[in-house]
Amino acid sequence: DSQQPVRTPTKPVLLSASQAAGLNECTLRWFVDHEAAAHEKKTAAPGFGNVVHGLADEVAKGQTPADLGVLMERLDRVWDRLSFEANWQSPQQKEEARHALERFLAWHVMERGRRLHASEEEFDVRLSVEGFDLRIRGSFDRVETDDAGLTYVVDFKTGKQVPTKAEAQEHAQ
């Protein structure tokens, strides 16, 4: 119990799309992890995801060919900069990155009848909800449209766990 607020009440709450989804699961966990910064995760996952997303962006923008060999060469150039808790994790994670790039390339070359409009497009939205100022920011991995004029926001997942159909519907980010 405190007489002073834990956070500045006039400061907007900063959320990513995944953090906003996490609020539905447990607001206390969100607060402890993101506002109080009580849990520091020691994992290579953010670096791993950033590298895979960066390579996918290069392919989407035509800067790098849609070729697994070329992508693996690009991956090799930056891989040693990622930190792992243990040395044995590096080759295992590199194999996961290879699989993620293979999945991306298979998806990328598949004809879906869509046109690419943006890749790694940043957004920053401010809202007022029930007297609280919210700021949601992040980036769309891809924004595409089809011939019917429908817009698709694509969110690449680089994690090992493939969400079930029910999880994907529940967490539609």
Side-chain angles (χ1 to χ4, degrees):
D1 197 13
S2 174
Q3 297 299 318
Q4 296 180 324
V6 176
R7 64 180 321 280
T8 307
T10 57
K11 179 181 168 189
V13 176
L14 181 59
L15 299 170
S16 68
S18 58
Q19 291 168 352
L23 285 172
N24 290 331
E25 295 171 14
C26 180
T27 54
L28 180 59
R29 173 185 253 169
W30 173 85
F31 178 81
V32 170
D33 286 350
H34 300 285
E35 286 294 311
H39 296 118
E40 186 175 326
K41 296 179 182 176
K42 293 181 181 178
T43 176
F48 170 100
N50 288 341
V51 170
V52 172
H53 277 77
L55 291 172
D57 183 43
E58 288 181 12
V59 170
K61 292 177 177 169
Q63 298 166 339
T64 300
D67 176 271
L68 184 61
V70 173
L71 291 175
M72 290 306 293
E73 286 176 20
R74 298 272 294 121
L75 183 69
D76 286 340
R77 290 185 209 158
V78 298
W79 192 256
D80 290 339
R81 296 182 205 155
L82 298 179
S83 60
F84 298 92
E85 286 184 53
N87 289 337
W88 62 266
Q89 292 175 322
S90 178
Q92 178 186 14
Q93 290 294 303
K94 193 169 191 179
E95 189 61 24
E96 289 296 326
R98 177 185 196 58
H99 290 304
L101 290 170
E102 287 172 342
R103 287 189 309 270
F104 163 73
L105 287 173
W107 179 85
H108 178 74
V109 300
M110 178 177 49
E111 177 53 47
R112 291 178 306 284
R114 299 182 192 173
R115 288 175 303 286
L116 175 67
H117 287 280
S119 176
E120 294 299 326
E121 184 72 22
E122 293 185 5
F123 62 88
D124 191 338
V125 179
R126 293 175 184 260
L127 305 166
S128 181
V129 178
E130 297 181 13
F132 290 97
D133 290 327
L134 299 178
R135 181 177 180 195
I136 302 174
R137 67 179 182 181
S139 64
F140 300 122
D141 295 339
R142 287 173 74 113
V143 179
E144 304 172 339
T145 57
D146 65 13
D147 291 336
L150 296 174
T151 301
Y152 298 84
V153 175
V154 179
D155 183 23
F156 296 132
K157 296 297 183 190
T158 55
K160 296 178 194 175
Q161 298 286 347
V162 176
T164 65
K165 188 174 182 177
E167 290 171 331
Q169 289 173 341
E170 182 179 332
H171 305 288
Q173 71 126 38

PDB file of all heavy atoms in Angstrom, residues 19 30 45 56-57 69 78 82 84 88 95 98 104 113-114 121 124-126 136 138 150 156-158 164 167:
ATOM      1  N   GLN A  19       0.860  -7.068 -25.695  1.00  0.00           N
ATOM      2  CA  GLN A  19       0.632  -6.659 -24.312  1.00  0.00           C
ATOM      3  C   GLN A  19      -0.832  -6.330 -24.075  1.00  0.00           C
ATOM      4  O   GLN A  19      -1.380  -6.644 -23.021  1.00  0.00           O
ATOM      5  CB  GLN A  19       1.500  -5.461 -23.948  1.00  0.00           C
ATOM      6  CG  GLN A  19       2.972  -5.790 -23.882  1.00  0.00           C
ATOM      7  CD  GLN A  19       3.833  -4.539 -23.800  1.00  0.00           C
ATOM      8  OE1 GLN A  19       3.351  -3.426 -23.934  1.00  0.00           O
ATOM      9  NE2 GLN A  19       5.124  -4.739 -23.612  1.00  0.00           N
ATOM     10  N   TRP A  30       0.666  -8.344 -16.234  1.00  0.00           N
ATOM     11  CA  TRP A  30       1.071  -7.291 -17.159  1.00  0.00           C
ATOM     12  C   TRP A  30       1.752  -6.165 -16.380  1.00  0.00           C
ATOM     13  O   TRP A  30       2.809  -5.685 -16.767  1.00  0.00           O
ATOM     14  CB  TRP A  30      -0.131  -6.737 -17.934  1.00  0.00           C
ATOM     15  CG  TRP A  30       0.262  -5.547 -18.747  1.00  0.00           C
ATOM     16  CD1 TRP A  30       0.800  -5.549 -19.987  1.00  0.00           C
ATOM     17  CD2 TRP A  30       0.199  -4.174 -18.342  1.00  0.00           C
ATOM     18  NE1 TRP A  30       1.079  -4.256 -20.388  1.00  0.00           N
ATOM     19  CE2 TRP A  30       0.719  -3.400 -19.389  1.00  0.00           C
ATOM     20  CE3 TRP A  30      -0.242  -3.527 -17.195  1.00  0.00           C
ATOM     21  CZ2 TRP A  30       0.806  -2.017 -19.330  1.00  0.00           C
ATOM     22  CZ3 TRP A  30      -0.151  -2.148 -17.130  1.00  0.00           C
ATOM     23  CH2 TRP A  30       0.368  -1.413 -18.205  1.00  0.00           C
ATOM     24  N   ALA A  45      15.130 -15.193 -27.775  1.00  0.00           N
ATOM     25  CA  ALA A  45      13.934 -15.120 -28.615  1.00  0.00           C
ATOM     26  C   ALA A  45      13.730 -13.763 -29.275  1.00  0.00           C
ATOM     27  O   ALA A  45      13.446 -13.714 -30.471  1.00  0.00           O
ATOM     28  CB  ALA A  45      12.701 -15.533 -27.820  1.00  0.00           C
ATOM     29  N   ALA A  56      12.789 -11.390 -43.557  1.00  0.00           N
ATOM     30  CA  ALA A  56      11.505 -11.433 -44.281  1.00  0.00           C
ATOM     31  C   ALA A  56      11.190 -10.065 -44.883  1.00  0.00           C
ATOM     32  O   ALA A  56      10.681  -9.971 -46.013  1.00  0.00           O
ATOM     33  CB  ALA A  56      10.392 -11.879 -43.342  1.00  0.00           C
ATOM     34  N   ASP A  57      11.511  -9.020 -44.162  1.00  0.00           N
ATOM     35  CA  ASP A  57      11.288  -7.656 -44.662  1.00  0.00           C
ATOM     36  C   ASP A  57      12.163  -7.382 -45.881  1.00  0.00           C
ATOM     37  O   ASP A  57      11.711  -6.804 -46.870  1.00  0.00           O
ATOM     38  CB  ASP A  57      11.575  -6.654 -43.542  1.00  0.00           C
ATOM     39  CG  ASP A  57      11.314  -5.207 -43.937  1.00  0.00           C
ATOM     40  OD1 ASP A  57      10.276  -4.943 -44.586  1.00  0.00           O
ATOM     41  OD2 ASP A  57      12.137  -4.343 -43.586  1.00  0.00           O
ATOM     42  N   GLY A  69      19.382 -20.332 -49.292  1.00  0.00           N
ATOM     43  CA  GLY A  69      20.839 -20.242 -49.185  1.00  0.00           C
ATOM     44  C   GLY A  69      21.302 -18.826 -48.926  1.00  0.00           C
ATOM     45  O   GLY A  69      22.162 -18.581 -48.063  1.00  0.00           O
ATOM     46  N   VAL A  78      25.114 -12.341 -38.808  1.00  0.00           N
ATOM     47  CA  VAL A  78      24.701 -11.678 -37.558  1.00  0.00           C
ATOM     48  C   VAL A  78      24.503 -12.640 -36.399  1.00  0.00           C
ATOM     49  O   VAL A  78      24.331 -12.208 -35.262  1.00  0.00           O
ATOM     50  CB  VAL A  78      23.396 -10.870 -37.766  1.00  0.00           C
ATOM     51  CG1 VAL A  78      23.607  -9.774 -38.790  1.00  0.00           C
ATOM     52  CG2 VAL A  78      22.237 -11.768 -38.139  1.00  0.00           C
ATOM     53  N   LEU A  82      23.951 -12.597 -31.352  1.00  0.00           N
ATOM     54  CA  LEU A  82      22.853 -12.950 -30.452  1.00  0.00           C
ATOM     55  C   LEU A  82      23.419 -13.584 -29.192  1.00  0.00           C
ATOM     56  O   LEU A  82      24.418 -14.287 -29.233  1.00  0.00           O
ATOM     57  CB  LEU A  82      21.894 -13.932 -31.133  1.00  0.00           C
ATOM     58  CG  LEU A  82      21.183 -13.442 -32.389  1.00  0.00           C
ATOM     59  CD1 LEU A  82      20.295 -14.551 -32.940  1.00  0.00           C
ATOM     60  CD2 LEU A  82      20.362 -12.203 -32.102  1.00  0.00           C
ATOM     61  N   PHE A  84      22.941 -16.116 -25.911  1.00  0.00           N
ATOM     62  CA  PHE A  84      22.227 -17.301 -25.455  1.00  0.00           C
ATOM     63  C   PHE A  84      22.645 -17.580 -24.023  1.00  0.00           C
ATOM     64  O   PHE A  84      23.774 -17.281 -23.627  1.00  0.00           O
ATOM     65  CB  PHE A  84      22.562 -18.505 -26.340  1.00  0.00           C
ATOM     66  CG  PHE A  84      22.156 -18.319 -27.778  1.00  0.00           C
ATOM     67  CD1 PHE A  84      23.053 -17.802 -28.705  1.00  0.00           C
ATOM     68  CD2 PHE A  84      20.881 -18.633 -28.192  1.00  0.00           C
ATOM     69  CE1 PHE A  84      22.676 -17.615 -30.026  1.00  0.00           C
ATOM     70  CE2 PHE A  84      20.494 -18.449 -29.504  1.00  0.00           C
ATOM     71  CZ  PHE A  84      21.388 -17.940 -30.422  1.00  0.00           C
ATOM     72  N   TRP A  88      25.219 -24.368 -25.950  1.00  0.00           N
ATOM     73  CA  TRP A  88      24.548 -25.424 -26.707  1.00  0.00           C
ATOM     74  C   TRP A  88      23.262 -24.930 -27.374  1.00  0.00           C
ATOM     75  O   TRP A  88      22.765 -25.553 -28.309  1.00  0.00           O
ATOM     76  CB  TRP A  88      24.245 -26.635 -25.823  1.00  0.00           C
ATOM     77  CG  TRP A  88      23.319 -26.341 -24.671  1.00  0.00           C
ATOM     78  CD1 TRP A  88      23.677 -26.005 -23.401  1.00  0.00           C
ATOM     79  CD2 TRP A  88      21.885 -26.346 -24.699  1.00  0.00           C
ATOM     80  NE1 TRP A  88      22.556 -25.801 -22.633  1.00  0.00           N
ATOM     81  CE2 TRP A  88      21.442 -26.006 -23.399  1.00  0.00           C
ATOM     82  CE3 TRP A  88      20.937 -26.600 -25.683  1.00  0.00           C
ATOM     83  CZ2 TRP A  88      20.098 -25.917 -23.081  1.00  0.00           C
ATOM     84  CZ3 TRP A  88      19.588 -26.514 -25.352  1.00  0.00           C
ATOM     85  CH2 TRP A  88      19.189 -26.183 -24.069  1.00  0.00           C
ATOM     86  N   GLU A  95      18.983 -23.784 -36.039  1.00  0.00           N
ATOM     87  CA  GLU A  95      18.152 -24.729 -36.797  1.00  0.00           C
ATOM     88  C   GLU A  95      16.690 -24.284 -36.775  1.00  0.00           C
ATOM     89  O   GLU A  95      15.980 -24.386 -37.779  1.00  0.00           O
ATOM     90  CB  GLU A  95      18.310 -26.152 -36.223  1.00  0.00           C
ATOM     91  CG  GLU A  95      17.668 -27.219 -37.059  1.00  0.00           C
ATOM     92  CD  GLU A  95      18.235 -27.325 -38.475  1.00  0.00           C
ATOM     93  OE1 GLU A  95      19.392 -26.929 -38.722  1.00  0.00           O
ATOM     94  OE2 GLU A  95      17.491 -27.807 -39.351  1.00  0.00           O
ATOM     95  N   ARG A  98      16.351 -21.561 -39.252  1.00  0.00           N
ATOM     96  CA  ARG A  98      16.317 -22.135 -40.604  1.00  0.00           C
ATOM     97  C   ARG A  98      14.897 -22.600 -40.939  1.00  0.00           C
ATOM     98  O   ARG A  98      14.383 -22.312 -42.012  1.00  0.00           O
ATOM     99  CB  ARG A  98      17.298 -23.297 -40.712  1.00  0.00           C
ATOM    100  CG  ARG A  98      17.284 -24.009 -42.056  1.00  0.00           C
ATOM    101  CD  ARG A  98      18.216 -25.239 -41.992  1.00  0.00           C
ATOM    102  NE  ARG A  98      18.591 -25.791 -43.238  1.00  0.00           N
ATOM    103  CZ  ARG A  98      19.215 -25.223 -44.248  1.00  0.00           C
ATOM    104  NH1 ARG A  98      19.527 -23.958 -44.181  1.00  0.00           N
ATOM    105  NH2 ARG A  98      19.527 -25.874 -45.343  1.00  0.00           N
ATOM    106  N   PHE A 104       8.639 -19.270 -43.956  1.00  0.00           N
ATOM    107  CA  PHE A 104       8.376 -17.961 -44.540  1.00  0.00           C
ATOM    108  C   PHE A 104       8.472 -18.026 -46.059  1.00  0.00           C
ATOM    109  O   PHE A 104       7.603 -17.522 -46.769  1.00  0.00           O
ATOM    110  CB  PHE A 104       9.341 -16.892 -44.004  1.00  0.00           C
ATOM    111  CG  PHE A 104       9.359 -15.671 -44.872  1.00  0.00           C
ATOM    112  CD1 PHE A 104       8.284 -14.802 -44.876  1.00  0.00           C
ATOM    113  CD2 PHE A 104      10.414 -15.420 -45.732  1.00  0.00           C
ATOM    114  CE1 PHE A 104       8.257 -13.689 -45.713  1.00  0.00           C
ATOM    115  CE2 PHE A 104      10.413 -14.320 -46.574  1.00  0.00           C
ATOM    116  CZ  PHE A 104       9.323 -13.446 -46.557  1.00  0.00           C
ATOM    117  N   GLY A 113      -3.253 -14.358 -54.194  1.00  0.00           N
ATOM    118  CA  GLY A 113      -4.099 -13.350 -54.812  1.00  0.00           C
ATOM    119  C   GLY A 113      -4.099 -12.039 -54.054  1.00  0.00           C
ATOM    120  O   GLY A 113      -5.099 -11.327 -54.018  1.00  0.00           O
ATOM    121  N   ARG A 114      -2.979 -11.717 -53.434  1.00  0.00           N
ATOM    122  CA  ARG A 114      -2.864 -10.474 -52.660  1.00  0.00           C
ATOM    123  C   ARG A 114      -1.685  -9.650 -53.157  1.00  0.00           C
ATOM    124  O   ARG A 114      -0.713 -10.185 -53.667  1.00  0.00           O
ATOM    125  CB  ARG A 114      -2.658 -10.773 -51.178  1.00  0.00           C
ATOM    126  CG  ARG A 114      -3.773 -11.545 -50.526  1.00  0.00           C
ATOM    127  CD  ARG A 114      -3.450 -11.705 -49.064  1.00  0.00           C
ATOM    128  NE  ARG A 114      -4.328 -12.662 -48.409  1.00  0.00           N
ATOM    129  CZ  ARG A 114      -4.148 -13.072 -47.171  1.00  0.00           C
ATOM    130  NH1 ARG A 114      -3.131 -12.625 -46.457  1.00  0.00           N
ATOM    131  NH2 ARG A 114      -4.980 -13.933 -46.630  1.00  0.00           N
ATOM    132  N   GLU A 121       5.694  -2.166 -41.203  1.00  0.00           N
ATOM    133  CA  GLU A 121       5.125  -0.814 -41.130  1.00  0.00           C
ATOM    134  C   GLU A 121       4.815  -0.471 -39.672  1.00  0.00           C
ATOM    135  O   GLU A 121       4.040  -1.151 -39.007  1.00  0.00           O
ATOM    136  CB  GLU A 121       3.846  -0.745 -41.972  1.00  0.00           C
ATOM    137  CG  GLU A 121       3.225   0.612 -42.038  1.00  0.00           C
ATOM    138  CD  GLU A 121       4.021   1.589 -42.894  1.00  0.00           C
ATOM    139  OE1 GLU A 121       4.803   1.154 -43.759  1.00  0.00           O
ATOM    140  OE2 GLU A 121       3.827   2.792 -42.695  1.00  0.00           O
ATOM    141  N   ASP A 124       1.573   3.961 -34.394  1.00  0.00           N
ATOM    142  CA  ASP A 124       1.591   4.594 -33.076  1.00  0.00           C
ATOM    143  C   ASP A 124       0.240   5.275 -32.903  1.00  0.00           C
ATOM    144  O   ASP A 124      -0.045   6.275 -33.555  1.00  0.00           O
ATOM    145  CB  ASP A 124       2.730   5.614 -33.014  1.00  0.00           C
ATOM    146  CG  ASP A 124       2.989   6.133 -31.607  1.00  0.00           C
ATOM    147  OD1 ASP A 124       2.086   6.059 -30.746  1.00  0.00           O
ATOM    148  OD2 ASP A 124       4.104   6.623 -31.374  1.00  0.00           O
ATOM    149  N   VAL A 125      -0.613   4.704 -32.058  1.00  0.00           N
ATOM    150  CA  VAL A 125      -1.981   5.182 -31.893  1.00  0.00           C
ATOM    151  C   VAL A 125      -2.198   5.597 -30.448  1.00  0.00           C
ATOM    152  O   VAL A 125      -1.809   4.894 -29.524  1.00  0.00           O
ATOM    153  CB  VAL A 125      -2.995   4.061 -32.261  1.00  0.00           C
ATOM    154  CG1 VAL A 125      -4.418   4.533 -32.070  1.00  0.00           C
ATOM    155  CG2 VAL A 125      -2.763   3.574 -33.668  1.00  0.00           C
ATOM    156  N   ARG A 126      -2.825   6.749 -30.264  1.00  0.00           N
ATOM    157  CA  ARG A 126      -3.175   7.215 -28.925  1.00  0.00           C
ATOM    158  C   ARG A 126      -4.693   7.233 -28.801  1.00  0.00           C
ATOM    159  O   ARG A 126      -5.389   7.700 -29.689  1.00  0.00           O
ATOM    160  CB  ARG A 126      -2.603   8.599 -28.673  1.00  0.00           C
ATOM    161  CG  ARG A 126      -1.086   8.592 -28.603  1.00  0.00           C
ATOM    162  CD  ARG A 126      -0.537  10.006 -28.484  1.00  0.00           C
ATOM    163  NE  ARG A 126       0.893  10.002 -28.517  1.00  0.00           N
ATOM    164  CZ  ARG A 126       1.672  10.094 -27.438  1.00  0.00           C
ATOM    165  NH1 ARG A 126       1.140  10.220 -26.258  1.00  0.00           N
ATOM    166  NH2 ARG A 126       2.982  10.079 -27.557  1.00  0.00           N
ATOM    167  N   ILE A 136      -0.724   2.775 -28.083  1.00  0.00           N
ATOM    168  CA  ILE A 136      -0.437   1.450 -28.614  1.00  0.00           C
ATOM    169  C   ILE A 136       0.483   1.636 -29.811  1.00  0.00           C
ATOM    170  O   ILE A 136       0.152   2.359 -30.734  1.00  0.00           O
ATOM    171  CB  ILE A 136      -1.724   0.714 -29.031  1.00  0.00           C
ATOM    172  CG1 ILE A 136      -2.670   0.611 -27.829  1.00  0.00           C
ATOM    173  CG2 ILE A 136      -1.398  -0.667 -29.585  1.00  0.00           C
ATOM    174  CD1 ILE A 136      -4.024   0.043 -28.171  1.00  0.00           C
ATOM    175  N   GLY A 138       3.645  -0.358 -32.364  1.00  0.00           N
ATOM    176  CA  GLY A 138       4.272  -1.587 -32.806  1.00  0.00           C
ATOM    177  C   GLY A 138       4.507  -1.523 -34.291  1.00  0.00           C
ATOM    178  O   GLY A 138       4.648  -0.438 -34.857  1.00  0.00           O
ATOM    179  N   LEU A 150     -10.247  -6.282 -49.876  1.00  0.00           N
ATOM    180  CA  LEU A 150     -10.079  -6.601 -48.457  1.00  0.00           C
ATOM    181  C   LEU A 150      -8.619  -6.407 -48.053  1.00  0.00           C
ATOM    182  O   LEU A 150      -7.705  -6.696 -48.824  1.00  0.00           O
ATOM    183  CB  LEU A 150     -10.512  -8.039 -48.182  1.00  0.00           C
ATOM    184  CG  LEU A 150     -11.988  -8.345 -48.410  1.00  0.00           C
ATOM    185  CD1 LEU A 150     -12.250  -9.835 -48.248  1.00  0.00           C
ATOM    186  CD2 LEU A 150     -12.846  -7.538 -47.450  1.00  0.00           C
ATOM    187  N   PHE A 156       3.754 -12.459 -38.581  1.00  0.00           N
ATOM    188  CA  PHE A 156       4.594 -13.647 -38.604  1.00  0.00           C
ATOM    189  C   PHE A 156       4.907 -14.075 -37.181  1.00  0.00           C
ATOM    190  O   PHE A 156       5.232 -13.252 -36.333  1.00  0.00           O
ATOM    191  CB  PHE A 156       5.920 -13.379 -39.327  1.00  0.00           C
ATOM    192  CG  PHE A 156       5.766 -13.054 -40.785  1.00  0.00           C
ATOM    193  CD1 PHE A 156       6.422 -11.974 -41.328  1.00  0.00           C
ATOM    194  CD2 PHE A 156       4.981 -13.840 -41.608  1.00  0.00           C
ATOM    195  CE1 PHE A 156       6.300 -11.674 -42.669  1.00  0.00           C
ATOM    196  CE2 PHE A 156       4.853 -13.547 -42.954  1.00  0.00           C
ATOM    197  CZ  PHE A 156       5.512 -12.460 -43.484  1.00  0.00           C
ATOM    198  N   LYS A 157       4.852 -15.361 -36.939  1.00  0.00           N
ATOM    199  CA  LYS A 157       5.215 -15.924 -35.649  1.00  0.00           C
ATOM    200  C   LYS A 157       6.482 -16.741 -35.831  1.00  0.00           C
ATOM    201  O   LYS A 157       6.552 -17.607 -36.697  1.00  0.00           O
ATOM    202  CB  LYS A 157       4.090 -16.798 -35.084  1.00  0.00           C
ATOM    203  CG  LYS A 157       2.816 -16.027 -34.784  1.00  0.00           C
ATOM    204  CD  LYS A 157       3.080 -14.994 -33.719  1.00  0.00           C
ATOM    205  CE  LYS A 157       1.827 -14.236 -33.336  1.00  0.00           C
ATOM    206  NZ  LYS A 157       2.124 -13.095 -32.493  1.00  0.00           N
ATOM    207  N   THR A 158       7.488 -16.464 -35.017  1.00  0.00           N
ATOM    208  CA  THR A 158       8.753 -17.178 -35.142  1.00  0.00           C
ATOM    209  C   THR A 158       8.958 -18.165 -34.003  1.00  0.00           C
ATOM    210  O   THR A 158       9.956 -18.868 -33.983  1.00  0.00           O
ATOM    211  CB  THR A 158       9.932 -16.183 -35.163  1.00  0.00           C
ATOM    212  OG1 THR A 158       9.867 -15.371 -34.002  1.00  0.00           O
ATOM    213  CG2 THR A 158       9.899 -15.325 -36.416  1.00  0.00           C
ATOM    214  N   THR A 164      -3.032 -23.135 -31.568  1.00  0.00           N
ATOM    215  CA  THR A 164      -4.173 -23.890 -32.059  1.00  0.00           C
ATOM    216  C   THR A 164      -5.130 -22.920 -32.738  1.00  0.00           C
ATOM    217  O   THR A 164      -5.010 -21.702 -32.583  1.00  0.00           O
ATOM    218  CB  THR A 164      -4.916 -24.589 -30.904  1.00  0.00           C
ATOM    219  OG1 THR A 164      -5.470 -23.583 -30.052  1.00  0.00           O
ATOM    220  CG2 THR A 164      -3.983 -25.505 -30.116  1.00  0.00           C
ATOM    221  N   GLU A 167      -6.768 -20.782 -30.125  1.00  0.00           N
ATOM    222  CA  GLU A 167      -5.869 -19.744 -29.611  1.00  0.00           C
ATOM    223  C   GLU A 167      -5.701 -18.624 -30.612  1.00  0.00           C
ATOM    224  O   GLU A 167      -5.668 -17.458 -30.237  1.00  0.00           O
ATOM    225  CB  GLU A 167      -4.495 -20.340 -29.279  1.00  0.00           C
ATOM    226  CG  GLU A 167      -4.492 -21.246 -28.077  1.00  0.00           C
ATOM    227  CD  GLU A 167      -3.165 -22.000 -27.905  1.00  0.00           C
ATOM    228  OE1 GLU A 167      -2.475 -22.263 -28.915  1.00  0.00           O
ATOM    229  OE2 GLU A 167      -2.856 -22.341 -26.758  1.00  0.00           O
TER     230      GLU A 167
END
